[in-house]
Amino acid sequence: MSTQVARPAAPARSGVATALGWLLTIGLNVVAPIVTYNFLTDSRGWEEFPALLLSGAWPVLDTVIHVIWRRKVDEFAVVTMVFLVITAVVGLVGDHSARTLLVKDSVVTGLFGVLCLATLLAKRPLMFYFGRKFATDGTARSTAWWNGLWQYEGFRTTMRRMTLVWGVAYVIEALVRVVLSYSVNTKTMVVISPIMVYAVLAALGVWTALYGKRSQAEGERREAEAKAKAQATAQAAPGAAREDRGEPAEAGRGGAPA
């Protein structure tokens, strides 16, 4: 008789480690680059390209801190640095007109979508690593728990489906923004472009959270059904064995033969 091993529950998360991890991730990968870029371009009169390049130093610092703290390279920070390099390279290509810069921004998000889709061919898709970044506190215990979930088919399907949706969404978002960049005036597009970026990100974040909870609930339901089926089979086994031997089912329970 085959049995299904129950999926282990998430270990208790360290509040301090979780808080520090979130502060470092958001502060150095999101807040600091934006503040630095706006300060250099608005207050110091820097050109967009060098300001963007310097603001990219913060995610590099995040990676260094993470390597020193955890003694391992974080995939989330690596992806961030890769796209900073891509952004810098794309920024060097072509002229620096406002419309071209808008198109270049779209190209970067489109490349992220392509990367998501490409990792579907890899051993583990990109959302597996992003999920580990935000679903654990980075400690060895919680990381091992997350890595161990990969053995379950339902978990693998969820990570691959999330990666597929993110990839397709960002490819479509990039294509739409490129078309709009040439369809509406630049002043209007400067307003529309960031709204689209954050709207798509928010929509994907909400969908990911809801889909993750639904997938977890579905997995728990299947585990409960498998456990109940195994228990029913175990309880029915003694009676079936007696019937195979020609004994009445009531025997052994104090009942007299009819």
Side-chain angles (χ1 to χ4, degrees):
M1 179 180 64
S2 62
T3 59
Q4 180 172 339
V5 180
R7 184 181 300 185
R13 300 176 66 176
S14 169
V16 174
T18 301
L20 287 176
W22 275 97
L23 286 174
L24 284 174
T25 298
I26 297 175
L28 296 179
N29 289 278
V30 180
V31 178
I34 292 175
V35 171
T36 302
Y37 175 80
N38 290 333
F39 173 76
L40 293 176
T41 54
D42 296 340
S43 301
R44 298 299 179 182
W46 281 41
E47 295 292 332
E48 292 180 337
F49 176 72
L52 182 64
L53 194 61
L54 185 60
S55 64
W58 294 108
V60 176
L61 178 61
D62 178 45
T63 301
V64 173
I65 293 175
H66 194 279
V67 170
I68 295 175
W69 187 13
R70 302 297 186 193
R71 296 183 180 180
K72 64 179 181 180
V73 178
D74 178 33
E75 293 85 357
F76 180 86
V78 170
V79 171
T80 301
M81 286 195 299
V82 167
F83 271 89
L84 285 170
V85 173
I86 291 175
T87 302
V89 171
V90 170
L92 288 173
V93 178
D95 61 70
H96 290 172
S97 66
R99 188 182 301 276
T100 303
L101 289 175
L102 290 171
V103 173
K104 290 176 180 179
D105 288 341
S106 304
V107 170
V108 172
T109 57
L111 287 174
F112 176 76
V114 172
L115 176 63
C116 287
L117 298 177
T119 60
L120 291 173
L121 303 176
K123 183 178 180 181
R124 295 179 182 181
L126 187 60
M127 285 301 114
F128 171 84
Y129 300 105
F130 275 44
R132 188 173 66 187
K133 177 68 176 180
F134 294 103
T136 71
D137 58 11
T139 59
R141 185 182 179 189
S142 63
T143 299
W145 162 75
W146 182 265
N147 292 341
L149 295 178
W150 188 253
Q151 66 182 297
Y152 301 101
E153 182 180 356
F155 180 80
R156 297 194 298 270
T157 300
T158 298
M159 291 297 104
R160 292 190 175 110
R161 190 165 296 167
M162 285 181 176
T163 304
L164 175 63
V165 170
W166 277 69
V168 171
Y170 269 109
V171 169
I172 294 175
E173 181 266 355
L175 293 174
V176 170
R177 279 206 292 153
V178 169
V179 172
L180 288 176
S181 296
Y182 289 101
S183 302
V184 302
N185 61 69
T186 302
K187 185 176 181 180
T188 302
M189 193 57 197
V190 168
V191 177
I192 294 176
S193 185
I195 292 177
M196 285 187 61
V197 171
Y198 289 109
V200 171
L201 179 60
L204 286 172
V206 171
W207 175 83
T208 300
L210 294 176
Y211 177 69
K213 289 181 179 180
R214 188 180 70 178
S215 298
Q216 181 179 359
E218 179 67 15
E220 292 173 352
R221 182 186 66 80
R222 290 180 179 178
E223 288 175 6
E225 289 179 351
K227 184 180 294 186
K229 184 177 180 180
Q231 290 176 348
T233 302
Q235 292 174 357
R242 285 192 297 272
E243 291 178 359
D244 290 339
R245 294 195 300 268
E247 300 176 5
E250 293 81 5
R253 294 190 299 179

